[in-house]
Amino acid sequence: MNFCSHCGNSVHIAIPEGDNRPRHICDGCGTIHYQNPRIIAGCLPVYEDKVLLCRRAIEPRLGYWTLPAGFMENGESTEQAALRETYEEAFAEVKIESLYTVTSILHVNQVQMFYLARMDKPEYAISSESLEVELFSEDDIPWDELAFQTIRNALKLYFADRQTGLYPLRHISLDASDTQKFRTECHDSSAAD
Amino acid sequence: MNFCSHCGNSVHIAIPEGDNRPRHICDGCGTIHYQNPRIIAGCLPVYEDKVLLCRRAIEPRLGYWTLPAGFMENGESTEQAALRETYEEAFAEVKIESLYTVTSILHVNQVQMFYLARMDKPEYAISSESLEVELFSEDDIPWDELAFQTIRNALKLYFADRQTGLYPLRHISLDASDTQKFRTECHDSSAAD
């Protein structure tokens, strides 16, 4: 951030009075510009014994497989965001069953929230955001071609929990070293998320 | 938003190619400025049969009672944010037990996440953000002096769930009419949140 989005003057970084963190503060109007984590919401859609994955048509991680998910927009709920992204990326209509993973990704200032969701029919299609959309049984999951560690975590947890039929919410924190480790395990050394 | 925070040029509002929502786009460098909901994280701290509330020393809702909570910062997890806010506002050290409410507040673009938390000792103190900090039993909760509907919801759910000992996660959506109704019920007609 170099300029004030309110008045266009330059900004400097300082700790405002009564605060304890450096913020961008406008040299002209004094507006304090806070920067906060953003939410990514998505679904883990299940049809019978299979899960729905999308092969990304957009960067980052173009060509890798993901669960349908994306940035939550203003004016919607977390569940609406997850359902919207599932429809936009896979043209799949699902029913949310429970919040399953909440992952704080410290180095990119994201909170990813994945919901377990049920598909009543195997109806889906590719979209402008997905090169392929496909249902996968556990044995067929492309583990080495998953886009993000959050996707692998959710899938691993799901197939393990399916043994018991209980799907408790998990909180996970990831940092840059976790992302690097994931990329190495995927035999991929491209830029970080 | 009037100016690009990157290059200082003016911005216009348009739907970018491949998008389906209006965004602020820089007239100079073309940067698209996305705006997304922010997370407020907090705790519902429980000591024996009481819960810990703080009387707000800052606007909005100065003088009203709240659970300790605040904006999640970059570089921390949702749980770290909830614990930090509980310490900053009440000097209370708590142990998180479970995520209890996730409330999407549509008209102010917030997601409020409250965690049930245990206090092992009745140790707390006022801070620069709180005029008073106090443990309340159910009969003494100042229901008409609560700061926000999310606080009332969490407390009502907690005391109801305590009958069963089960505290399932709740997802709640609120809009402007809900906030107005809450304010009316509190006999307070000041500006909206």
Side-chain angles (χ1 to χ4, degrees), chain B residues 46-71:
Chain B
V46 177
Y47 176 72
E48 295 181 346
D49 70 334
K50 296 179 176 176
V51 301
L52 191 74
L53 298 179
C54 307
R55 199 154 75 81
R56 292 174 63 83
I58 49 178
E59 293 290 359
R61 304 290 281 164
L62 191 154
Y64 287 79
W65 291 90
T66 186
L67 292 165
F71 285 106

Side-chain angles (χ1 to χ4, degrees), chain A residues 2 5-6 23 73 115 171, chain B residues 2 5 23 73 115 171:
Chain A
N2 305 307
S5 57
H6 184 62
R23 313 283 182 186
E73 300 280 3
Y115 289 86
H171 278 76
Chain B
N2 305 307
S5 56
R23 313 283 182 185
E73 300 279 2
Y115 289 86
H171 278 77

Side-chain angles (χ1 to χ4, degrees), chain A:
Chain A
M1 177 177 291
N2 305 307
F3 297 94
C4 175
S5 57
H6 184 62
C7 76
N9 266 283
S10 56
V11 296
H12 68 283
I13 295 178
I15 300 175
E17 194 182 326
D19 200 344
N20 53 21
R21 290 172 188 249
R23 313 283 182 186
H24 290 88
I25 305 175
C26 178
D27 298 325
C29 69
T31 297
I32 302 169
H33 295 280
Y34 297 94
Q35 294 180 305
N36 303 87
R38 294 198 292 173
I39 295 171
I40 286 183
C43 285
L44 194 166
V46 178
Y47 176 72
E48 295 180 347
D49 70 333
K50 296 179 177 176
V51 301
L52 191 73
L53 299 179
C54 307
R55 199 153 75 80
R56 291 174 63 84
I58 48 178
E59 294 288 359
R61 304 288 283 166
L62 190 153
Y64 287 80
W65 291 91
T66 187
L67 292 165
F71 285 106
M72 181 179 176
E73 300 280 3
N74 282 349
E76 65 184 358
S77 70
T78 54
E79 290 160 302
Q80 286 170 335
L83 293 172
R84 176 181 53 72
E85 289 289 345
T86 303
Y87 192 78
E88 285 180 0
E89 297 191 0
F91 289 109
E93 293 190 16
V94 302
K95 290 179 181 142
I96 284 179
E97 302 209 308
S98 66
L99 181 59
Y100 192 45
T101 59
V102 173
T103 307
S104 300
I105 311 183
L106 307 185
H107 58 300
V108 294
N109 306 313
Q110 283 182 7
V111 175
Q112 295 200 6
M113 303 174 71
F114 277 97
Y115 289 86
L116 271 187
R118 188 177 75 247
M119 294 174 72
D120 286 335
K121 289 178 276 190
E123 294 179 357
Y124 51 86
I126 63 169
S127 72
S128 60
E129 301 179 30
S130 303
L131 301 168
E132 295 178 70
V133 179
E134 202 57 67
L135 287 167
F136 288 89
S137 58
E138 183 176 2
D139 291 342
D140 297 328
I141 297 282
W143 293 107
D144 287 341
E145 296 168 47
L146 296 178
F148 306 110
Q149 188 171 7
T150 49
I151 307 305
R152 186 172 70 181
N153 288 344
L155 292 171
K156 291 271 186 198
L157 288 167
Y158 173 72
F159 290 117
D161 286 347
R162 202 165 65 173
Q163 306 296 320
T164 66
L166 298 175
Y167 302 92
L169 170 63
R170 274 29 174 260
H171 278 76
I172 301 164
S173 282
L174 300 177
D175 61 20
S177 65
D178 295 312
T179 295
Q180 189 53 52
K181 185 162 173 280
F182 171 75
R183 290 297 177 84
T184 303
E185 288 162 1
C186 295
H187 313 295
D188 178 271
S189 58
S190 60
D193 291 349

